[in-house]
Amino acid sequence: MITTASSHDVRDQGSDIAVLPIGSFEQHGDHLPLATDTLIACSIARRIANVYSLFLLPPITISCSHEHADFAGPVSISATTVHRVIGDIQESLNRSSVAKLVLINAHGGNYVLSNVVQESNAHGQRMVLYPSSTEWEQARRTAGLTTNVHEDMHAGEAETSILLAEQPDLVAPSYGEADWTADDRRHLLSEGVMAYSKSGVIGRPSLATADKGKRLLDAFAAQFKPYLGLV
């Protein structure tokens, strides 16, 4: 669910930190929806915004998913467009006296976001990108997941667990038989995901549980606290 706050709610909250979920629209095997990354970004962002009383924005739902182009359904925009959209959002927020922006990214292919954040901070506009792969790894350990970030890259234990916790009706029962590993993916940027997985899954969704998903979201919220001093 996207935010349903009114202008009155935002005014009373009075936060100068906005939280922007960034997802994608791309295949996630046969057991998860195309909007999986957006749903996960919204879940993490909503939890963080609620815990720390921050201004939650609606998500960016289409981003850089070119590595999934060989599958049915994915839609992408260019890295340049993503950069410009976030810049426009930041400029609009500044006019509303919201001077700080947190990007909650749930799609690993959005490499451009690191540059967006670096450039913004270099020009004095405070911006944070969260969570990093290190923070995903830490959250996995805290939540008791079996797999790591590298081996569980896409539609695996972590992503399936979060949707089981948040929107279980969107997870098809086939997740229990969808495991696929492809640890050597050195040509992913040039060959795309289908070169390594015909199903689109790289990971072990069979290990997913709703309890793991809840613990992941709890961990992301707790790990975010130090970032409040950076924005």
Side-chain angles (χ1 to χ4, degrees):
M1 178 186 295
I2 66 173
T3 178
T4 57
S6 68
S7 178
H8 177 85
D9 295 331
V10 173
R11 183 192 65 201
D12 287 353
Q13 184 184 53
S15 177
D16 66 343
I17 302 176
V19 181
L20 176 64
I22 303 175
S24 68
F25 195 75
E26 64 188 36
Q27 68 80 23
H28 278 75
D30 293 333
H31 64 285
L32 296 180
L34 289 156
T36 290
D37 287 343
T38 298
L39 296 169
I40 290 173
C42 286
S43 293
I44 297 171
R46 184 168 56 248
R47 184 70 66 90
I48 287 171
N50 288 341
V51 169
Y52 301 105
S53 297
L54 308 180
F55 176 22
L56 179 63
L57 300 173
I60 293 176
T61 58
I62 296 176
S63 58
C64 304
S65 299
H66 310 284
E67 71 273 26
H68 298 278
D70 293 329
F71 294 87
V75 179
S76 291
I77 57 178
S78 71
T80 301
T81 299
V82 172
H83 197 307
R84 288 176 176 171
V85 168
I86 295 172
D88 286 350
I89 291 170
Q90 186 178 50
E91 182 179 344
S92 180
L93 288 168
N94 287 343
R95 290 196 296 269
S96 301
S97 299
V98 179
K100 305 167 186 177
L101 181 59
V102 176
L103 309 182
I104 302 295
N105 177 49
H107 171 48
N110 284 332
Y111 309 111
V112 65
L113 296 180
S114 294
N115 296 113
V116 171
V117 172
Q118 285 179 328
E119 291 175 22
S120 178
N121 286 305
H123 290 91
Q125 299 290 315
R126 301 307 299 167
M127 191 182 291
V128 157
L129 177 60
Y130 182 85
S132 68
S133 58
T134 300
E135 286 146 351
W136 267 102
E137 201 67 82
Q138 184 177 337
R140 285 171 176 272
R141 290 194 297 268
T142 300
L145 272 66
T146 301
T147 57
N148 62 42
V149 168
H150 179 75
E151 64 191 3
D152 197 57
M153 168 196 167
H154 194 71
E157 181 182 16
E159 292 186 319
T160 305
S161 290
I162 291 175
L163 284 197
L164 284 172
E166 293 285 283
Q167 294 183 267
D169 56 311
L170 299 181
V171 182
S174 59
Y175 79 89
E177 301 176 351
D179 291 5
W180 182 262
T181 56
D183 291 343
D184 185 351
R185 304 187 298 271
R186 70 187 72 187
H187 303 299
L188 180 66
L189 293 181
S190 56
E191 299 296 323
V193 171
M194 188 172 278
Y196 297 96
S197 172
K198 300 304 181 185
S199 71
V201 176
I202 299 178
R204 299 184 63 190
S206 68
L207 299 174
T209 68
D211 187 55
K212 289 178 181 178
K214 179 183 180 301
R215 293 200 301 265
L216 278 169
L217 293 173
D218 289 343
F220 284 130
Q223 288 176 196
F224 181 77
K225 187 174 183 179
Y227 280 93
L228 293 174
L230 298 177
V231 288

